[in-house]
């Protein structure tokens, strides 16, 4: 089974930045998978916030993070990243990466049902 290993999260002040990483063991080529980033805030429902298809050209973001968060891949490191800029306290949550595979998707999905493999999650806290 594909194992996704996430970096530690962190603490940032409002307006600050953090970068999360999600890596796979070398027997799995993460660049061939659809990737999603999800977050779970206290008292809230899980939310898909960003996703990307295989290759560098297709991405999708939920409105609340659009323009602030960027999802990217580094095939040489067999990893994907979530760059988070202009952080706000509302971004405080547990963040998880996920991987899935769907034949010829028209776009990546922010719905959990598309993903079969999940990282363990990491805490991101934004506070002054």
């Amino acid at each position: 089974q594909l194992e996704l290993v996430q970096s530690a999260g962190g603490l940032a002040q409002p307006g600050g930045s953090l970068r999360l990483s999600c890596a796979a063991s070398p027997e799995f080529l993460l660049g061939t998978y659809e990737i999603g980033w999800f977050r779970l805030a206290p008292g809230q429902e899980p939310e898909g916030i960003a996703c990307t298809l295989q290759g560098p050209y297709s991405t999708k973001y939920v409105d609340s993070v659009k323009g602030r968060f960027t999802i990217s891949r580094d095939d040489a490191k067999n990893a994907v990243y979530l760059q988070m800029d202009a952080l706000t306290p509302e971004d405080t949550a547990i963040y998880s990466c996920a991987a899935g595979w769907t034949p010829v998707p028209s776009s990546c999905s922010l719905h959990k049902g598309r993903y079969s493999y999940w990282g363990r999650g990491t805490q991101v806290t934004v506070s002054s």
Side-chain angles (χ1 to χ4, degrees):
Q1 181 173 307
L2 171 63
E3 181 179 356
L4 300 174
V5 179
Q6 296 186 227
S7 63
L11 174 65
Q13 293 187 322
S17 297
L18 289 171
R19 188 179 74 163
L20 305 179
S21 66
C22 177
S25 54
E27 61 265 35
F28 299 94
L29 299 178
L30 201 56
T32 67
Y33 290 83
E34 182 176 354
I35 301 296
W37 284 95
F38 295 80
R39 68 184 182 186
L40 179 61
Q44 304 295 316
E45 295 295 321
E47 180 185 33
I49 58 169
C51 66
T52 183
L53 291 173
Q54 301 92 326
Y57 300 113
S58 179
T59 58
K60 184 184 297 182
Y61 301 92
V62 71
D63 285 345
S64 61
V65 310
K66 191 174 299 181
R68 300 189 298 118
F69 290 13
T70 304
I71 189 171
S72 63
R73 297 175 180 263
D74 187 339
D75 289 344
K77 296 183 178 180
N78 206 25
V80 297
Y81 302 92
L82 185 69
Q83 177 68 42
M84 303 182 292
D85 298 321
L87 287 164
T88 74
E90 289 70 34
D91 296 318
T92 296
I94 298 172
Y95 285 74
S96 297
C97 61
W101 189 85
T102 301
V104 197
S106 58
S107 63
C108 66
S109 177
L110 297 176
H111 296 287
K112 297 186 297 294
R114 283 276 285 273
Y115 300 92
S116 299
Y117 310 101
W118 292 80
R120 293 184 179 182
T122 188
Q123 178 70 48
V124 169
T125 301
V126 183
S127 175
S128 60

